[in-house]
mmCIF file with all atom_site columns, all heavy atoms in Angstrom:
data_model
loop_
_atom_site.group_PDB
_atom_site.id
_atom_site.type_symbol
_atom_site.label_atom_id
_atom_site.label_alt_id
_atom_site.label_comp_id
_atom_site.label_asym_id
_atom_site.label_entity_id
_atom_site.label_seq_id
_atom_site.pdbx_PDB_ins_code
_atom_site.Cartn_x
_atom_site.Cartn_y
_atom_site.Cartn_z
_atom_site.occupancy
_atom_site.B_iso_or_equiv
_atom_site.pdbx_formal_charge
_atom_site.auth_seq_id
_atom_site.auth_comp_id
_atom_site.auth_asym_id
_atom_site.auth_atom_id
_atom_site.pdbx_PDB_model_num
ATOM 1   N N   . LYS A 1 1  ? 3.815  -0.483 18.566  1.00 95.00 ? 86  LYS A N   1
ATOM 2   C CA  . LYS A 1 1  ? 4.861  0.459  18.162  1.00 95.00 ? 86  LYS A CA  1
ATOM 3   C C   . LYS A 1 1  ? 4.409  1.896  18.436  1.00 95.00 ? 86  LYS A C   1
ATOM 4   O O   . LYS A 1 1  ? 3.211  2.175  18.559  1.00 95.00 ? 86  LYS A O   1
ATOM 5   C CB  . LYS A 1 1  ? 5.174  0.316  16.673  1.00 95.00 ? 86  LYS A CB  1
ATOM 6   C CG  . LYS A 1 1  ? 5.819  -1.001 16.277  1.00 95.00 ? 86  LYS A CG  1
ATOM 7   C CD  . LYS A 1 1  ? 6.103  -1.022 14.788  1.00 95.00 ? 86  LYS A CD  1
ATOM 8   C CE  . LYS A 1 1  ? 6.781  -2.308 14.361  1.00 95.00 ? 86  LYS A CE  1
ATOM 9   N NZ  . LYS A 1 1  ? 7.036  -2.338 12.893  1.00 95.00 ? 86  LYS A NZ  1
ATOM 10  N N   . SER A 1 2  ? 5.368  2.795  18.477  1.00 93.00 ? 87  SER A N   1
ATOM 11  C CA  . SER A 1 2  ? 5.032  4.209  18.585  1.00 93.00 ? 87  SER A CA  1
ATOM 12  C C   . SER A 1 2  ? 4.484  4.694  17.246  1.00 93.00 ? 87  SER A C   1
ATOM 13  O O   . SER A 1 2  ? 4.648  4.031  16.208  1.00 93.00 ? 87  SER A O   1
ATOM 14  C CB  . SER A 1 2  ? 6.269  5.023  18.955  1.00 93.00 ? 87  SER A CB  1
ATOM 15  O OG  . SER A 1 2  ? 7.222  4.990  17.892  1.00 93.00 ? 87  SER A OG  1
ATOM 16  N N   . GLU A 1 3  ? 3.845  5.866  17.259  1.00 92.00 ? 88  GLU A N   1
ATOM 17  C CA  . GLU A 1 3  ? 3.337  6.438  16.014  1.00 92.00 ? 88  GLU A CA  1
ATOM 18  C C   . GLU A 1 3  ? 4.466  6.641  15.018  1.00 92.00 ? 88  GLU A C   1
ATOM 19  O O   . GLU A 1 3  ? 4.319  6.350  13.821  1.00 92.00 ? 88  GLU A O   1
ATOM 20  C CB  . GLU A 1 3  ? 2.646  7.774  16.289  1.00 92.00 ? 88  GLU A CB  1
ATOM 21  C CG  . GLU A 1 3  ? 2.125  8.453  15.032  1.00 92.00 ? 88  GLU A CG  1
ATOM 22  C CD  . GLU A 1 3  ? 1.479  9.786  15.302  1.00 92.00 ? 88  GLU A CD  1
ATOM 23  O OE1 . GLU A 1 3  ? 1.526  10.250 16.464  1.00 92.00 ? 88  GLU A OE1 1
ATOM 24  O OE2 . GLU A 1 3  ? 0.928  10.389 14.347  1.00 92.00 ? 88  GLU A OE2 1
ATOM 25  N N   . GLU A 1 4  ? 5.600  7.124  15.501  1.00 91.00 ? 89  GLU A N   1
ATOM 26  C CA  . GLU A 1 4  ? 6.728  7.406  14.618  1.00 91.00 ? 89  GLU A CA  1
ATOM 27  C C   . GLU A 1 4  ? 7.266  6.117  13.986  1.00 91.00 ? 89  GLU A C   1
ATOM 28  O O   . GLU A 1 4  ? 7.564  6.068  12.787  1.00 91.00 ? 89  GLU A O   1
ATOM 29  C CB  . GLU A 1 4  ? 7.842  8.109  15.395  1.00 91.00 ? 89  GLU A CB  1
ATOM 30  C CG  . GLU A 1 4  ? 7.479  9.505  15.895  1.00 91.00 ? 89  GLU A CG  1
ATOM 31  C CD  . GLU A 1 4  ? 6.530  9.486  17.083  1.00 91.00 ? 89  GLU A CD  1
ATOM 32  O OE1 . GLU A 1 4  ? 6.442  8.424  17.764  1.00 91.00 ? 89  GLU A OE1 1
ATOM 33  O OE2 . GLU A 1 4  ? 5.879  10.526 17.348  1.00 91.00 ? 89  GLU A OE2 1
ATOM 34  N N   . ALA A 1 5  ? 7.370  5.045  14.791  1.00 91.00 ? 90  ALA A N   1
ATOM 35  C CA  . ALA A 1 5  ? 7.882  3.771  14.273  1.00 91.00 ? 90  ALA A CA  1
ATOM 36  C C   . ALA A 1 5  ? 6.922  3.174  13.256  1.00 91.00 ? 90  ALA A C   1
ATOM 37  O O   . ALA A 1 5  ? 7.343  2.645  12.223  1.00 91.00 ? 90  ALA A O   1
ATOM 38  C CB  . ALA A 1 5  ? 8.121  2.799  15.421  1.00 91.00 ? 90  ALA A CB  1
ATOM 39  N N   . ARG A 1 6  ? 5.624  3.259  13.536  1.00 89.00 ? 91  ARG A N   1
ATOM 40  C CA  . ARG A 1 6  ? 4.633  2.738  12.602  1.00 89.00 ? 91  ARG A CA  1
ATOM 41  C C   . ARG A 1 6  ? 4.656  3.530  11.298  1.00 89.00 ? 91  ARG A C   1
ATOM 42  O O   . ARG A 1 6  ? 4.575  2.952  10.198  1.00 89.00 ? 91  ARG A O   1
ATOM 43  C CB  . ARG A 1 6  ? 3.244  2.804  13.229  1.00 89.00 ? 91  ARG A CB  1
ATOM 44  C CG  . ARG A 1 6  ? 2.090  2.466  12.270  1.00 89.00 ? 91  ARG A CG  1
ATOM 45  C CD  . ARG A 1 6  ? 2.028  1.002  11.923  1.00 89.00 ? 91  ARG A CD  1
ATOM 46  N NE  . ARG A 1 6  ? 0.963  0.741  10.966  1.00 89.00 ? 91  ARG A NE  1
ATOM 47  C CZ  . ARG A 1 6  ? 0.213  -0.365 10.961  1.00 89.00 ? 91  ARG A CZ  1
ATOM 48  N NH1 . ARG A 1 6  ? 0.433  -1.301 11.855  1.00 89.00 ? 91  ARG A NH1 1
ATOM 49  N NH2 . ARG A 1 6  ? -0.723 -0.536 10.060  1.00 89.00 ? 91  ARG A NH2 1
ATOM 50  N N   . ALA A 1 7  ? 4.781  4.847  11.385  1.00 87.00 ? 92  ALA A N   1
ATOM 51  C CA  . ALA A 1 7  ? 4.818  5.689  10.189  1.00 87.00 ? 92  ALA A CA  1
ATOM 52  C C   . ALA A 1 7  ? 6.044  5.368  9.342   1.00 87.00 ? 92  ALA A C   1
ATOM 53  O O   . ALA A 1 7  ? 5.952  5.291  8.113   1.00 87.00 ? 92  ALA A O   1
ATOM 54  C CB  . ALA A 1 7  ? 4.806  7.159  10.581  1.00 87.00 ? 92  ALA A CB  1
ATOM 55  N N   . ARG A 1 8  ? 7.194  5.175  9.993   1.00 86.00 ? 93  ARG A N   1
ATOM 56  C CA  . ARG A 1 8  ? 8.407  4.824  9.239   1.00 86.00 ? 93  ARG A CA  1
ATOM 57  C C   . ARG A 1 8  ? 8.236  3.489  8.526   1.00 86.00 ? 93  ARG A C   1
ATOM 58  O O   . ARG A 1 8  ? 8.622  3.332  7.354   1.00 86.00 ? 93  ARG A O   1
ATOM 59  C CB  . ARG A 1 8  ? 9.613  4.774  10.172  1.00 86.00 ? 93  ARG A CB  1
ATOM 60  C CG  . ARG A 1 8  ? 10.126 6.141  10.623  1.00 86.00 ? 93  ARG A CG  1
ATOM 61  C CD  . ARG A 1 8  ? 11.508 6.018  11.232  1.00 86.00 ? 93  ARG A CD  1
ATOM 62  N NE  . ARG A 1 8  ? 11.510 5.152  12.401  1.00 86.00 ? 93  ARG A NE  1
ATOM 63  C CZ  . ARG A 1 8  ? 11.319 5.571  13.648  1.00 86.00 ? 93  ARG A CZ  1
ATOM 64  N NH1 . ARG A 1 8  ? 11.074 6.858  13.872  1.00 86.00 ? 93  ARG A NH1 1
ATOM 65  N NH2 . ARG A 1 8  ? 11.359 4.733  14.667  1.00 86.00 ? 93  ARG A NH2 1
ATOM 66  N N   . SER A 1 9  ? 7.665  2.523  9.229   1.00 85.00 ? 94  SER A N   1
ATOM 67  C CA  . SER A 1 9  ? 7.457  1.202  8.642   1.00 85.00 ? 94  SER A CA  1
ATOM 68  C C   . SER A 1 9  ? 6.515  1.272  7.444   1.00 85.00 ? 94  SER A C   1
ATOM 69  O O   . SER A 1 9  ? 6.780  0.679  6.389   1.00 85.00 ? 94  SER A O   1
ATOM 70  C CB  . SER A 1 9  ? 6.882  0.257  9.703   1.00 85.00 ? 94  SER A CB  1
ATOM 71  O OG  . SER A 1 9  ? 6.574  -1.001 9.151   1.00 85.00 ? 94  SER A OG  1
ATOM 72  N N   . SER A 1 10 ? 5.414  2.018  7.578   1.00 82.00 ? 95  SER A N   1
ATOM 73  C CA  . SER A 1 10 ? 4.454  2.152  6.481   1.00 82.00 ? 95  SER A CA  1
ATOM 74  C C   . SER A 1 10 ? 5.070  2.885  5.294   1.00 82.00 ? 95  SER A C   1
ATOM 75  O O   . SER A 1 10 ? 4.826  2.530  4.137   1.00 82.00 ? 95  SER A O   1
ATOM 76  C CB  . SER A 1 10 ? 3.200  2.891  6.963   1.00 82.00 ? 95  SER A CB  1
ATOM 77  O OG  . SER A 1 10 ? 2.512  2.146  7.936   1.00 82.00 ? 95  SER A OG  1
ATOM 78  N N   . SER A 1 11 ? 5.881  3.898  5.571   1.00 84.00 ? 96  SER A N   1
ATOM 79  C CA  . SER A 1 11 ? 6.527  4.663  4.494   1.00 84.00 ? 96  SER A CA  1
ATOM 80  C C   . SER A 1 11 ? 7.504  3.783  3.720   1.00 84.00 ? 96  SER A C   1
ATOM 81  O O   . SER A 1 11 ? 7.540  3.818  2.480   1.00 84.00 ? 96  SER A O   1
ATOM 82  C CB  . SER A 1 11 ? 7.266  5.873  5.072   1.00 84.00 ? 96  SER A CB  1
ATOM 83  O OG  . SER A 1 11 ? 6.360  6.790  5.648   1.00 84.00 ? 96  SER A OG  1
ATOM 84  N N   . ARG A 1 12 ? 8.305  2.990  4.448   1.00 87.00 ? 97  ARG A N   1
ATOM 85  C CA  . ARG A 1 12 ? 9.252  2.092  3.771   1.00 87.00 ? 97  ARG A CA  1
ATOM 86  C C   . ARG A 1 12 ? 8.514  1.067  2.928   1.00 87.00 ? 97  ARG A C   1
ATOM 87  O O   . ARG A 1 12 ? 8.915  0.780  1.785   1.00 87.00 ? 97  ARG A O   1
ATOM 88  C CB  . ARG A 1 12 ? 10.136 1.396  4.806   1.00 87.00 ? 97  ARG A CB  1
ATOM 89  C CG  . ARG A 1 12 ? 11.208 2.276  5.418   1.00 87.00 ? 97  ARG A CG  1
ATOM 90  C CD  . ARG A 1 12 ? 12.252 1.446  6.131   1.00 87.00 ? 97  ARG A CD  1
ATOM 91  N NE  . ARG A 1 12 ? 11.676 0.702  7.253   1.00 87.00 ? 97  ARG A NE  1
ATOM 92  C CZ  . ARG A 1 12 ? 11.670 1.132  8.500   1.00 87.00 ? 97  ARG A CZ  1
ATOM 93  N NH1 . ARG A 1 12 ? 12.191 2.311  8.793   1.00 87.00 ? 97  ARG A NH1 1
ATOM 94  N NH2 . ARG A 1 12 ? 11.148 0.400  9.469   1.00 87.00 ? 97  ARG A NH2 1
ATOM 95  N N   . THR A 1 13 ? 7.435  0.514  3.469   1.00 86.00 ? 98  THR A N   1
ATOM 96  C CA  . THR A 1 13 ? 6.664  -0.477 2.719   1.00 86.00 ? 98  THR A CA  1
ATOM 97  C C   . THR A 1 13 ? 6.075  0.143  1.464   1.00 86.00 ? 98  THR A C   1
ATOM 98  O O   . THR A 1 13 ? 6.077  -0.476 0.387   1.00 86.00 ? 98  THR A O   1
ATOM 99  C CB  . THR A 1 13 ? 5.538  -1.049 3.597   1.00 86.00 ? 98  THR A CB  1
ATOM 100 O OG1 . THR A 1 13 ? 6.102  -1.638 4.776   1.00 86.00 ? 98  THR A OG1 1
ATOM 101 C CG2 . THR A 1 13 ? 4.746  -2.102 2.848   1.00 86.00 ? 98  THR A CG2 1
ATOM 102 N N   . ALA A 1 14 ? 5.565  1.364  1.581   1.00 82.00 ? 99  ALA A N   1
ATOM 103 C CA  . ALA A 1 14 ? 4.985  2.053  0.423   1.00 82.00 ? 99  ALA A CA  1
ATOM 104 C C   . ALA A 1 14 ? 6.025  2.265  -0.669  1.00 82.00 ? 99  ALA A C   1
ATOM 105 O O   . ALA A 1 14 ? 5.747  2.058  -1.856  1.00 82.00 ? 99  ALA A O   1
ATOM 106 C CB  . ALA A 1 14 ? 4.390  3.388  0.858   1.00 82.00 ? 99  ALA A CB  1
ATOM 107 N N   . ILE A 1 15 ? 7.234  2.665  -0.284  1.00 88.00 ? 100 ILE A N   1
ATOM 108 C CA  . ILE A 1 15 ? 8.298  2.906  -1.271  1.00 88.00 ? 100 ILE A CA  1
ATOM 109 C C   . ILE A 1 15 ? 8.669  1.614  -1.990  1.00 88.00 ? 100 ILE A C   1
ATOM 110 O O   . ILE A 1 15 ? 8.818  1.581  -3.220  1.00 88.00 ? 100 ILE A O   1
ATOM 111 C CB  . ILE A 1 15 ? 9.534  3.518  -0.579  1.00 88.00 ? 100 ILE A CB  1
ATOM 112 C CG1 . ILE A 1 15 ? 9.212  4.943  -0.105  1.00 88.00 ? 100 ILE A CG1 1
ATOM 113 C CG2 . ILE A 1 15 ? 10.728 3.533  -1.529  1.00 88.00 ? 100 ILE A CG2 1
ATOM 114 C CD1 . ILE A 1 15 ? 10.296 5.544  0.759   1.00 88.00 ? 100 ILE A CD1 1
ATOM 115 N N   . VAL A 1 16 ? 8.811  0.515  -1.217  1.00 88.00 ? 101 VAL A N   1
ATOM 116 C CA  . VAL A 1 16 ? 9.163  -0.780 -1.818  1.00 88.00 ? 101 VAL A CA  1
ATOM 117 C C   . VAL A 1 16 ? 8.080  -1.225 -2.789  1.00 88.00 ? 101 VAL A C   1
ATOM 118 O O   . VAL A 1 16 ? 8.378  -1.683 -3.907  1.00 88.00 ? 101 VAL A O   1
ATOM 119 C CB  . VAL A 1 16 ? 9.371  -1.839 -0.718  1.00 88.00 ? 101 VAL A CB  1
ATOM 120 C CG1 . VAL A 1 16 ? 9.512  -3.233 -1.339  1.00 88.00 ? 101 VAL A CG1 1
ATOM 121 C CG2 . VAL A 1 16 ? 10.611 -1.518 0.111   1.00 88.00 ? 101 VAL A CG2 1
ATOM 122 N N   . LEU A 1 17 ? 6.812  -1.091 -2.400  1.00 84.00 ? 102 LEU A N   1
ATOM 123 C CA  . LEU A 1 17 ? 5.717  -1.498 -3.271  1.00 84.00 ? 102 LEU A CA  1
ATOM 124 C C   . LEU A 1 17 ? 5.657  -0.650 -4.535  1.00 84.00 ? 102 LEU A C   1
ATOM 125 O O   . LEU A 1 17 ? 5.369  -1.158 -5.627  1.00 84.00 ? 102 LEU A O   1
ATOM 126 C CB  . LEU A 1 17 ? 4.389  -1.390 -2.515  1.00 84.00 ? 102 LEU A CB  1
ATOM 127 C CG  . LEU A 1 17 ? 4.165  -2.443 -1.423  1.00 84.00 ? 102 LEU A CG  1
ATOM 128 C CD1 . LEU A 1 17 ? 2.941  -2.086 -0.599  1.00 84.00 ? 102 LEU A CD1 1
ATOM 129 C CD2 . LEU A 1 17 ? 3.993  -3.829 -2.039  1.00 84.00 ? 102 LEU A CD2 1
ATOM 130 N N   . LEU A 1 18 ? 5.945  0.659  -4.408  1.00 85.00 ? 103 LEU A N   1
ATOM 131 C CA  . LEU A 1 18 ? 5.951  1.531  -5.583  1.00 85.00 ? 103 LEU A CA  1
ATOM 132 C C   . LEU A 1 18 ? 7.038  1.098  -6.565  1.00 85.00 ? 103 LEU A C   1
ATOM 133 O O   . LEU A 1 18 ? 6.791  1.015  -7.782  1.00 85.00 ? 103 LEU A O   1
ATOM 134 C CB  . LEU A 1 18 ? 6.181  2.981  -5.151  1.00 85.00 ? 103 LEU A CB  1
ATOM 135 C CG  . LEU A 1 18 ? 6.297  4.012  -6.280  1.00 85.00 ? 103 LEU A CG  1
ATOM 136 C CD1 . LEU A 1 18 ? 5.016  4.037  -7.112  1.00 85.00 ? 103 LEU A CD1 1
ATOM 137 C CD2 . LEU A 1 18 ? 6.605  5.393  -5.715  1.00 85.00 ? 103 LEU A CD2 1
ATOM 138 N N   . ILE A 1 19 ? 8.219  0.808  -6.049  1.00 88.00 ? 104 ILE A N   1
ATOM 139 C CA  . ILE A 1 19 ? 9.320  0.380  -6.921  1.00 88.00 ? 104 ILE A CA  1
ATOM 140 C C   . ILE A 1 19 ? 8.981  -0.928 -7.624  1.00 88.00 ? 104 ILE A C   1
ATOM 141 O O   . ILE A 1 19 ? 9.173  -1.071 -8.838  1.00 88.00 ? 104 ILE A O   1
ATOM 142 C CB  . ILE A 1 19 ? 10.624 0.232  -6.104  1.00 88.00 ? 104 ILE A CB  1
ATOM 143 C CG1 . ILE A 1 19 ? 11.089 1.610  -5.610  1.00 88.00 ? 104 ILE A CG1 1
ATOM 144 C CG2 . ILE A 1 19 ? 11.713 -0.433 -6.941  1.00 88.00 ? 104 ILE A CG2 1
ATOM 145 C CD1 . ILE A 1 19 ? 12.248 1.544  -4.639  1.00 88.00 ? 104 ILE A CD1 1
ATOM 146 N N   . ILE A 1 20 ? 8.465  -1.894 -6.855  1.00 88.00 ? 105 ILE A N   1
ATOM 147 C CA  . ILE A 1 20 ? 8.108  -3.182 -7.456  1.00 88.00 ? 105 ILE A CA  1
ATOM 148 C C   . ILE A 1 20 ? 7.023  -3.000 -8.511  1.00 88.00 ? 105 ILE A C   1
ATOM 149 O O   . ILE A 1 20 ? 7.074  -3.581 -9.598  1.00 88.00 ? 105 ILE A O   1
ATOM 150 C CB  . ILE A 1 20 ? 7.633  -4.170 -6.371  1.00 88.00 ? 105 ILE A CB  1
ATOM 151 C CG1 . ILE A 1 20 ? 8.782  -4.530 -5.434  1.00 88.00 ? 105 ILE A CG1 1
ATOM 152 C CG2 . ILE A 1 20 ? 7.068  -5.443 -7.007  1.00 88.00 ? 105 ILE A CG2 1
ATOM 153 C CD1 . ILE A 1 20 ? 8.364  -5.395 -4.265  1.00 88.00 ? 105 ILE A CD1 1
ATOM 154 N N   . GLY A 1 21 ? 6.012  -2.169 -8.200  1.00 85.00 ? 106 GLY A N   1
ATOM 155 C CA  . GLY A 1 21 ? 4.939  -1.930 -9.149  1.00 85.00 ? 106 GLY A CA  1
ATOM 156 C C   . GLY A 1 21 ? 5.443  -1.318 -10.443 1.00 85.00 ? 106 GLY A C   1
ATOM 157 O O   . GLY A 1 21 ? 5.050  -1.739 -11.535 1.00 85.00 ? 106 GLY A O   1
ATOM 158 N N   . LEU A 1 22 ? 6.328  -0.319 -10.339 1.00 85.00 ? 107 LEU A N   1
ATOM 159 C CA  . LEU A 1 22 ? 6.879  0.319  -11.540 1.00 85.00 ? 107 LEU A CA  1
ATOM 160 C C   . LEU A 1 22 ? 7.729  -0.650 -12.353 1.00 85.00 ? 107 LEU A C   1
ATOM 161 O O   . LEU A 1 22 ? 7.682  -0.646 -13.590 1.00 85.00 ? 107 LEU A O   1
ATOM 162 C CB  . LEU A 1 22 ? 7.706  1.545  -11.135 1.00 85.00 ? 107 LEU A CB  1
ATOM 163 C CG  . LEU A 1 22 ? 6.907  2.709  -10.513 1.00 85.00 ? 107 LEU A CG  1
ATOM 164 C CD1 . LEU A 1 22 ? 7.839  3.825  -10.076 1.00 85.00 ? 107 LEU A CD1 1
ATOM 165 C CD2 . LEU A 1 22 ? 5.863  3.233  -11.508 1.00 85.00 ? 107 LEU A CD2 1
ATOM 166 N N   . VAL A 1 23 ? 8.506  -1.491 -11.663 1.00 87.00 ? 108 VAL A N   1
ATOM 167 C CA  . VAL A 1 23 ? 9.320  -2.495 -12.369 1.00 87.00 ? 108 VAL A CA  1
ATOM 168 C C   . VAL A 1 23 ? 8.419  -3.470 -13.120 1.00 87.00 ? 108 VAL A C   1
ATOM 169 O O   . VAL A 1 23 ? 8.696  -3.830 -14.278 1.00 87.00 ? 108 VAL A O   1
ATOM 170 C CB  . VAL A 1 23 ? 10.236 -3.239 -11.375 1.00 87.00 ? 108 VAL A CB  1
ATOM 171 C CG1 . VAL A 1 23 ? 10.874 -4.455 -12.045 1.00 87.00 ? 108 VAL A CG1 1
ATOM 172 C CG2 . VAL A 1 23 ? 11.314 -2.316 -10.846 1.00 87.00 ? 108 VAL A CG2 1
ATOM 173 N N   . LEU A 1 24 ? 7.334  -3.899 -12.477 1.00 85.00 ? 109 LEU A N   1
ATOM 174 C CA  . LEU A 1 24 ? 6.417  -4.834 -13.133 1.00 85.00 ? 109 LEU A CA  1
ATOM 175 C C   . LEU A 1 24 ? 5.732  -4.196 -14.336 1.00 85.00 ? 109 LEU A C   1
ATOM 176 O O   . LEU A 1 24 ? 5.556  -4.847 -15.371 1.00 85.00 ? 109 LEU A O   1
ATOM 177 C CB  . LEU A 1 24 ? 5.369  -5.321 -12.127 1.00 85.00 ? 109 LEU A CB  1
ATOM 178 C CG  . LEU A 1 24 ? 5.883  -6.273 -11.041 1.00 85.00 ? 109 LEU A CG  1
ATOM 179 C CD1 . LEU A 1 24 ? 4.808  -6.515 -9.993  1.00 85.00 ? 109 LEU A CD1 1
ATOM 180 C CD2 . LEU A 1 24 ? 6.318  -7.595 -11.649 1.00 85.00 ? 109 LEU A CD2 1
ATOM 181 N N   . PHE A 1 25 ? 5.352  -2.929 -14.221 1.00 80.00 ? 110 PHE A N   1
ATOM 182 C CA  . PHE A 1 25 ? 4.751  -2.237 -15.363 1.00 80.00 ? 110 PHE A CA  1
ATOM 183 C C   . PHE A 1 25 ? 5.760  -2.103 -16.501 1.00 80.00 ? 110 PHE A C   1
ATOM 184 O O   . PHE A 1 25 ? 5.408  -2.271 -17.676 1.00 80.00 ? 110 PHE A O   1
ATOM 185 C CB  . PHE A 1 25 ? 4.244  -0.856 -14.943 1.00 80.00 ? 110 PHE A CB  1
ATOM 186 C CG  . PHE A 1 25 ? 2.850  -0.883 -14.394 1.00 80.00 ? 110 PHE A CG  1
ATOM 187 C CD1 . PHE A 1 25 ? 2.608  -0.590 -13.065 1.00 80.00 ? 110 PHE A CD1 1
ATOM 188 C CD2 . PHE A 1 25 ? 1.773  -1.208 -15.204 1.00 80.00 ? 110 PHE A CD2 1
ATOM 189 C CE1 . PHE A 1 25 ? 1.319  -0.612 -12.546 1.00 80.00 ? 110 PHE A CE1 1
ATOM 190 C CE2 . PHE A 1 25 ? 0.477  -1.238 -14.702 1.00 80.00 ? 110 PHE A CE2 1
ATOM 191 C CZ  . PHE A 1 25 ? 0.258  -0.940 -13.366 1.00 80.00 ? 110 PHE A CZ  1
ATOM 192 N N   . ALA A 1 26 ? 7.011  -1.797 -16.168 1.00 84.00 ? 111 ALA A N   1
ATOM 193 C CA  . ALA A 1 26 ? 8.048  -1.697 -17.196 1.00 84.00 ? 111 ALA A CA  1
ATOM 194 C C   . ALA A 1 26 ? 8.252  -3.041 -17.887 1.00 84.00 ? 111 ALA A C   1
ATOM 195 O O   . ALA A 1 26 ? 8.389  -3.105 -19.122 1.00 84.00 ? 111 ALA A O   1
ATOM 196 C CB  . ALA A 1 26 ? 9.359  -1.214 -16.560 1.00 84.00 ? 111 ALA A CB  1
#
């Protein structure tokens, strides 16, 4: 992938993991 595509993919994954983590803590 291009740098931009990889960065977008990593950013989306990070956001999803943050949401799941916060839901689990709640």
Side-chain angles (χ1 to χ4, degrees):
K86 293 181 178 179
S87 66
E88 178 182 6
E89 294 74 20
R91 172 72 183 216
R93 286 195 299 269
S94 176
S95 295
S96 295
R97 285 195 297 266
T98 302
I100 291 172
V101 171
L102 288 170
L103 177 60
I104 293 172
I105 294 175
L107 294 176
V108 169
L109 289 172
F110 273 113

